[in-house]
Amino acid sequence: RRLRGVLGTATRSRAAAAVARARAAKVRPRLAALGGAAFFDVDRDTTVLGAVCPKAKAAEAVSLLLDTVSKPIDDATMEAAKHEQVRELTTTAPDVRELVYGCAYLDTPHGRPVLGTAAEVAALEGATMTTENWAGAGVGCADDVFAALPPFEEKDVQEAVFTGSDMRIVNDGEPLARVCLAYAFPKIGEKGEDAATLLPFILGTQTPTPQTRREPLHALGKLQRDLAEQGIATACDAAYAPTKSHALFSIHWTCPDVRCEDAAYYVTANLARLAHRVSDAEIEAAQRAFAAARA
């Protein structure tokens, strides 16, 4: 059995992804000796450095993680991490979600790309990027806590201010248009969070397949059925992503550029319908889909 031990930091800077990548590279050989592997993850609120390892080696793996984050990163490791991240930023297709956050939180820290830009990463200096604010309830696997970290303070979470904006990018090489609408929604703990959690499942969180189109009427969600019946969109997905500092509800779809207005009509009509005419059958189907997604 292989379980994860994770460290998290409550703050994120322009250097967070590169530093986490460097620390993962530094601890990787030591974890490999235990039969494990290192991983890192960065989002708009937290940075995670963790290990996947045999359960019997979990305590040792956590000790290695703690040791790694307590020491400076050498220049060679930092430079290698920077080059790898710049390569990823310059060769990977643009992430539409980053554009959406950039529009939702215009000119604010939460609107910046999680991985930074290639120019920002290339300009980082290893000697000044080695101190992070690691915090959390504890570090461990399953119910076993092997090490304690400073308690997480809610004040450390920087509130995101939804500004709202729009962006259009023209690329003649793309055969289809990609469109996204996003709205500020209840954050974790705020009134309306529970209801908001179900909304993507009422609309349809994933593009229908030939198999799911043969399922009962309310299995897909009315928006997905509308788009499929009209032959407008090749893909349509809805998502609700709440955190303590910000929350976005978004719908993004892919369609021929000559059908953008048609698709937008059905999307906005279904959004308006959520406030007035959602049936009990739709709620029950959404609850089943939500339970299946969490299973």
Side-chain angles (χ1 to χ4, degrees), residues 175-179 232-235 253-261 263-264:
L176 297 171
R178 292 186 293 176
V179 186
I232 298 174
T234 60
W253 67 91
T254 304
C255 64
D257 56 2
V258 295
R259 302 300 302 274
C260 282
E261 290 187 6

Side-chain angles (χ1 to χ4, degrees), residues 15-114:
V19 171
R21 187 186 298 271
R23 293 206 180 279
K26 193 71 175 176
V27 76
R28 191 167 289 125
R30 302 170 71 187
L31 287 171
L34 300 178
F39 70 91
F40 73 93
D41 186 41
V42 181
D43 62 25
R44 282 178 163 73
D45 289 309
T46 57
T47 304
V48 172
L49 173 67
V52 181
C53 66
K55 186 177 181 181
K57 299 290 185 178
E60 295 178 65
V62 169
S63 295
L64 291 179
L65 294 177
L66 289 170
D67 181 63
T68 299
V69 299
S70 65
K71 295 179 178 179
I73 305 172
D74 61 89
D75 289 340
T77 302
M78 190 64 195
E79 284 299 315
K82 285 167 51 179
H83 286 309
E84 177 64 20
Q85 189 154 318
V86 169
R87 184 197 63 78
E88 180 178 332
L89 288 169
T90 54
T91 59
T92 305
D95 189 339
V96 175
R97 291 172 299 179
E98 294 290 8
L99 300 178
V100 172
Y101 274 92
C103 290
Y105 304 107
L106 190 67
D107 297 329
T108 68
H110 280 82
R112 293 189 57 263
V114 169

Side-chain angles (χ1 to χ4, degrees), residues 181-268:
L181 295 177
Y183 303 87
F185 256 50
K187 296 186 285 289
I188 290 178
E190 290 187 343
K191 182 180 179 181
E193 178 197 355
D194 291 342
T197 300
L198 276 185
L199 293 188
F201 296 91
I202 295 174
L203 294 170
T205 57
Q206 293 183 339
T207 304
T209 64
Q211 177 61 36
T212 57
R213 287 193 179 100
R214 292 194 290 269
E215 294 179 3
L217 180 64
H218 293 297
L220 290 179
K222 188 175 185 303
L223 172 60
Q224 297 285 16
R225 296 199 311 274
D226 286 344
L227 296 177
E229 289 169 359
Q230 298 297 322
I232 298 174
T234 60
C236 180
D237 302 285
Y240 169 52
T243 71
K244 285 284 188 179
S245 65
H246 65 280
L248 285 183
F249 174 76
S250 62
I251 303 176
H252 49 96
W253 67 91
T254 304
C255 64
D257 56 2
V258 295
R259 302 300 302 274
C260 282
E261 290 187 6
D262 295 334
Y265 167 79
Y266 282 100
V267 169
T268 53

